[in-house]
Amino acid sequence: MVATGVFVTAAQGVVVTLRNTTVFVLPSAGSATQKLLRFEVLQGADGAAEAAEDEDEANKTKKKQATQPVPPANRITTVELFRPQGSELLALLLLVDERRLVHYELDLAAETLVLKASRSVPRSATCMTVGHLKLTSGETKYAVIVGQKTGEAVAMPFPDVDRDLKTLLGHTTSMVTHVAVNHDSSLLLTADRDEKLRVSRFPNAAIIESYCLGHAASLTKVACSAVTPDLVVSTSMDNTLKLWQMTTGKLLASETLLPGVEVSLEPLDEEASDDSGRQVAKSLINVSLAICPKTNIVAVLVNYQHVRFFEIVADEAHTLEEVEVSNEDVQSLLANEPCELLFTEDEVLAVSYKKNPFLQLFSISKESKRLSPVEAASAAFTDFRAAAASIELVDDEEKALDVLEDGLKKKKARTGEWNKKVPGEN
């Protein structure tokens, strides 16, 4: 998803949405928390120190005459929220300016958000996820995994994120566009601009389980199923959503994201014969993808303007079936420029917006074909919308898109070579 200044994430009965550097914590369905919490991040002395660090890095970049645009200061590009095992606190992780990881600790009972750590990561970080490893002692260890434009995925231990980075894998300089782990973090999935999805073991990512090959353009997002844990879906600039068996790399199903449109598959750095097809391809960079952890419904939002719903049908063949939703409800969801969507643990679809209502929760019914608004605590959402209306979003989306497009240019490898690197595929 292109950074818009608007993000949404969820865990443990709360939904967290960010607008620029303001964090709002809201209740989801069945949440014990019934009030709005608001915090500012990347501010004060910490923000000043971080900005100084960015300025030093920017000066170094200018001296090297880098061709990539330098991101603006304190531009959040990725957000993760989770609760470590045995803790009553939530960890909020921010990837900032494509080069810095910031860790905050959210205490719902004390109503506090405390900065715990801030560290630099390799420049041009594109994406982030959190993996875990269960030890024989029963203890769970966590790692923050960051993908890069240089084609590497690196990891750092959590909560000691300031320790040395470990390089997990390299995609031979092919930009990593998205990273994910499966339900038990035994597999690491890395999508890239060279049309492939690599499935590696975790934490020993040097061992490759499979390559999922079949897309005709750069991948944009991947999401793993919790209901059918051997399955994963991916989106691409080739205008498709594909379903894969992750350990074998077998393509199980494919659906068109935007029916009735032609997409240019020519590389972004080459002159396109069809400008309209090129524009459609660019719009497909901006995608939000989520799978419901209980119903296996897949939601895909494309460029603020299109939303599709599918269900992963776990029959013998494993297929994708479109979930029909009334056009009135779809248009209601698409009003006011939706930015991101996700499913909470209690099957609620959370959608963030540039404009009012700024955040909306929905329930999906396949039987009635309805998408119905849900609000667990109306007073909290009323207060949130009043506060969000006073925040003017930083308009750097065009710059962010330029940075991302630059990384998607100049393919480095032919995908036909990748299966040769999978054990047993020679």
Side-chain angles (χ1 to χ4, degrees), residues 174-252:
S174 178
M175 173 182 171
V176 176
T177 56
H178 201 222
V179 291
V181 291
N182 65 338
H183 72 294
D184 62 359
S185 289
S186 61
L187 296 174
L188 171 64
L189 295 91
T190 47
D192 70 23
R193 69 177 173 196
D194 283 338
E195 306 160 11
K196 67 181 181 295
L197 173 61
R198 170 173 165 167
V199 182
S200 312
R201 294 185 188 176
F202 182 79
N204 188 7
I207 301 176
I208 303 171
E209 285 290 331
S210 70
Y211 283 105
C212 300
L213 305 176
H215 280 296
S218 172
L219 275 72
T220 51
K221 288 290 186 292
V222 295
C224 298
S225 169
V227 178
T228 46
D230 58 334
L231 303 183
V232 60
V233 293
S234 60
T235 56
S236 165
M237 291 174 65
D238 66 6
N239 195 26
T240 65
L241 168 74
K242 295 188 186 297
L243 175 68
W244 311 88
Q245 207 288 329
M246 66 177 74
T247 55
T248 65
K250 181 180 179 181
L251 176 61
L252 302 175

Side-chain angles (χ1 to χ4, degrees), residues 361-372:
L361 307 183
F362 296 93
S363 64
I364 300 178
S365 172
K366 292 191 300 178
E367 291 73 21
S368 64
K369 302 180 181 180
R370 296 306 305 268
L371 192 64
S372 305

Side-chain angles (χ1 to χ4, degrees), residues 344-362:
T344 68
E345 297 167 338
D346 44 19
E347 305 178 41
V348 171
L349 179 68
V351 183
S352 64
Y353 292 86
K354 285 187 178 181
K355 302 176 182 178
N356 191 21
F358 307 115
L359 177 71
Q360 182 65 61
L361 307 183
F362 296 93

Side-chain angles (χ1 to χ4, degrees), residues 2-7 18-22 40-43 71-76 97 304 337 339 353-354 388 390-401:
V2 175
T4 59
V6 180
F7 297 90
L18 284 82
R19 300 185 68 81
N20 294 340
T21 56
T22 303
E40 297 295 328
V41 294
L42 309 177
Q43 304 291 315
N74 286 344
R75 182 173 65 88
I76 299 171
D97 292 339
Y304 319 124
E337 298 185 66
C339 297
Y353 292 86
K354 285 187 178 181
S390 65
I391 298 174
E392 183 177 353
L393 294 177
V394 176
D395 187 13
D396 61 2
E397 185 177 335
E398 185 174 346
K399 293 180 181 178
L401 186 59

Side-chain angles (χ1 to χ4, degrees), residues 195 214-218 236-240 262-268 270 272-274 277-278 280-281 284 411:
E195 306 160 11
H215 280 296
S218 172
S236 165
M237 291 174 65
D238 66 6
N239 195 26
T240 65
E262 294 294 329
V263 178
S264 171
L265 299 179
E266 299 174 48
L268 289 178
E270 294 182 6
S273 56
D274 180 5
R278 169 63 59 79
V280 173
L284 288 160
K411 291 170 56 179

